[in-house]
Amino acid sequence: MEAQPIISIQHLSKTFYTKTSEVHALQDINLDILPGQIYGIIGMSGAGKSTLVRCMNFLEKPTGGTVLFDGVDLGAMNAQALNEARRSMGMIFQQFNLLMQRTALQNICFPLEIAGVKKEAAVARAKELLEIVDLADKANAYPSQLSGGQKQRIAIARALATSPKVLLCDEATSALDPKTTRSILTLLRDINRRLGITVIIITHEMSVIEEICTHVAIIADSKIAESGTVQDIFTHPQTAAAQRLVFHRAGNVEQSVGNNALRIVFNGNASSEPVIAGMVLEFKSPVNIMYADTRDIDGKAFGQMVLQMPEDAAIAEKMKYYLTTHGLTVEEVQYNV
Amino acid sequence: MFDTTTWLMLGEGLIDTLYMTLFSTAMAYLLGLPMGLLLVITEKDSILPLPAFNTALSVIINLMRSIPFLIFLVWVMPITRAIVGTTIGSTATVVPLVLAAAPFIARMVESSIKEVDPGVIEAAQSMGATRAQIVWKVLLPEAMPSLIVGATISVTTILGYSAMAGFVGGGGLGDIAIRFGYYRYDDEIMLITVIILVLVVQILQEIGMRIANTSDRRKN
Ligand SMILES: Nc1ncnc2c1ncn2[C@@H]1O[C@H](COP(=O)(O)OP(=O)(O)OP(=O)(O)O)[C@@H](O)[C@H]1O
Ligand SMILES: [Mg+2]
């Protein structure tokens, strides 16, 4: 039996009416997020990502369509029921949004206070959460005394206080450096695995999606351009918007890429250098690496590369075959990005 | 310099002034704090959007603020008589002081509450906080250091107003300065009352800023 989506979005639209104009921030969005997934939503600035995630807990009221949380229509709830539902959905933000006049511990107690939990129970739970986010020693620090990464950890602990089923993250790592970003992402994955919490991640960085997401939806011009498993989208982006994102760090490649360029995707099945080196040696014909963005993790490569293939079509064809037989996904580059 | 009677009179004047100032400030906050809070939360994108009410409240506050205090003093005399039974003395001065200070305080409170990061309010909403919880647990505590700075400015301003009330028999140091210093050309009394007022302002200011600074957790 197919699991019931924890969040199901149907024909959602959101239009902002300003004095002078209408902004269609979201149009006919359909999305099912299943329990346990780490669902990434990626798109360019202004695509409507924040609006979409804010519609998931009704911080923003949609102008059309429905949002079902655990099978129940948020739009049909009264204020009290909505507040109850929100306690089952934690949220974290780019700017952390901690209460500046409260200590870390008091910040984590805040959602419990609001929910009417007794003080001692709240403090006990908050201490438990400080352990989970690895900041037990910062219980009495004020946010102004914490680094960005530490603030986000406290914000995560606070969002988890009421034992939510879903954690919504709006650009949670965008204000952090790469190393801190990675540690926060690792924490989110841990939380997903250990506590079984569904995580929804809004980002404009493909690397965040690659790092931890199981599924991804690409949002462009207020619509979902493409959605599916990260594996599928990453290896076979169908739409221009998806290709642009998967490929975007190769931003200036397209002008220089000739007709016979190949994009190679590494999915951890081989180490990058030996394959390319081996191919060059085998065919005694050089290739030009136009663009590479790969990472070796435990001797396995993840990422992508764009190769300018030799003029000789026969050799190029053989090389392509060589790469495919070495377990790589290979595509002709024909992006009109 | 002065005889005992004069010192006693000055002492009494000081107590009267402090009483008028502090009591008026407290009463003015009772009116001004909710008004300032309402000014913020009834704005278009805030937690209790009531645009028409917001505009009306804002206009009323501006009207009240544009009336010069001396005119206010005379105008509200009938109200004062109705409430206090007299229009002379310290207690009678409290009424115009409160009515004149409340709209000023409302604006001070408004600007303090507006300093609270909208992101924090949004975070509270995402946790299922009610409006009342947002007011009591987010807006007021987060704005507290700034509210205390505002209260310090308000209390010293009200002290100045209370001295002005001396012109219409309001009691306190202002009254002494007018009666002796101004009408009887007693420069010494004039000078000493001014010195006492300056000291009081200094002390109130210092205490207020200390409390504000030590309570602010954004600094460390
Ligand atoms: N309150 C609002 N009033 C009017 N327009 C709005 C409002 N909020 C968002 N918009 C508009 O809706 C569109 C989508 O905004 P949104 O914040 O969802 O984008 P985003 O994808 O999160 O972008 P970013 O990556 O920059 O955060 C933008 O064109 C934005 O200007
Ligand atoms: Mg955004």
Side-chain angles (χ1 to χ4, degrees), chain B residues 33-94:
Chain B
L33 187 68
M35 283 203 286
L37 202 54
L38 280 172
L39 274 176
V40 180
I41 65 173
T42 60
E43 271 197 349
K44 189 164 60 67
D45 290 319
S46 195
I47 56 174
L48 184 66
L50 297 169
F53 173 86
N54 188 278
T55 310
L57 184 60
S58 184
V59 168
I60 291 170
I61 287 172
N62 286 346
L63 279 175
M64 286 174 77
R65 287 203 59 197
S66 56
I67 302 166
F69 181 61
L70 274 177
I71 295 182
F72 218 94
L73 270 175
V74 181
W75 264 11
V76 299
M77 276 180 177
I79 304 174
T80 311
R81 189 170 289 121
I83 298 175
V84 193
T86 172
T87 61
I88 298 172
S90 310
T91 306
T93 312
V94 169

Side-chain angles (χ1 to χ4, degrees), chain A residues 49-50 170-171:
Chain A
K49 306 179 295 291
S50 295
D170 189 0
E171 304 271 6

Side-chain angles (χ1 to χ4, degrees), chain B residues 176-196:
Chain B
I176 294 169
I178 300 290
R179 277 191 287 132
F180 293 84
Y182 186 67
Y183 291 134
R184 294 191 201 162
Y185 306 104
D186 188 336
D187 288 343
E188 281 187 342
I189 293 227
M190 182 68 121
L191 187 67
I192 194 80
T193 51
V194 169
I195 290 174
I196 295 173

Side-chain angles (χ1 to χ4, degrees), chain A residues 95-281:
Chain A
Q95 295 307 327
F96 324 121
N97 295 347
L98 295 175
L99 294 147
M100 300 304 283
Q101 307 293 343
R102 283 180 174 235
T103 63
L105 188 83
Q106 290 167 339
N107 261 286
I108 304 172
C109 287
F110 180 76
L112 298 165
E113 261 173 62
I114 280 177
V117 176
K118 288 233 166 61
K119 181 117 191 266
E120 286 121 69
V123 171
R125 171 91 180 123
K127 285 186 172 155
E128 217 176 279
L129 286 156
L130 277 171
E131 296 285 347
I132 292 181
V133 299
D134 215 11
L135 280 178
D137 54 327
K138 296 290 184 193
N140 296 317
Y142 286 93
S144 62
Q145 299 164 322
L146 298 173
S147 71
Q150 290 170 333
K151 281 185 209 158
Q152 197 59 289
R153 281 169 184 269
I154 298 299
I156 290 170
R158 183 175 70 170
L160 296 178
T162 48
S163 308
K165 294 180 177 162
V166 173
L167 183 61
L168 306 172
C169 316
D170 189 0
E171 304 271 6
T173 58
S174 299
L176 304 173
D177 63 55
K179 188 160 162 265
T180 315
T181 293
R182 193 154 297 168
S183 84
I184 293 289
L185 293 177
T186 308
L187 175 63
L188 290 175
R189 181 168 42 206
D190 263 21
I191 285 164
N192 168 262
R193 289 199 184 144
R194 279 166 48 195
L195 309 175
I197 294 173
T198 310
V199 178
I200 294 160
I201 292 187
I202 304 292
T203 183
H204 61 269
E205 291 171 304
M206 197 61 193
S207 59
V208 170
I209 303 283
E210 289 166 47
E211 189 101 17
I212 65 163
C213 292
T214 57
H215 293 73
V216 63
I218 291 162
I219 180 164
D221 300 329
S222 321
K223 299 190 187 81
I224 303 265
E226 215 169 315
S227 65
T229 66
V230 171
Q231 179 90 3
D232 281 353
I233 303 274
F234 193 66
T235 44
H236 303 294
Q238 304 288 318
T239 58
Q243 289 166 356
R244 200 182 303 137
L245 275 164
V246 169
F247 206 55
H248 91 278
R249 277 166 297 173
N252 45 11
V253 171
E254 67 262 27
Q255 302 109 27
S256 46
V257 168
N259 294 322
N260 46 353
L262 283 187
R263 186 172 83 100
I264 305 165
V265 179
F266 296 91
N267 272 321
N269 20 27
S271 205
S272 58
E273 279 173 25
V275 182
I276 306 300
M279 179 182 77
V280 171
L281 282 178

Side-chain angles (χ1 to χ4, degrees), chain A residues 16 18 23 25 43-52 60 171 204:
Chain A
F16 291 105
T18 62
V23 182
M44 301 288 172
S45 183
K49 306 179 295 291
S50 295
T51 308
L52 177 56
E60 205 76 78
E171 304 271 6
H204 61 269

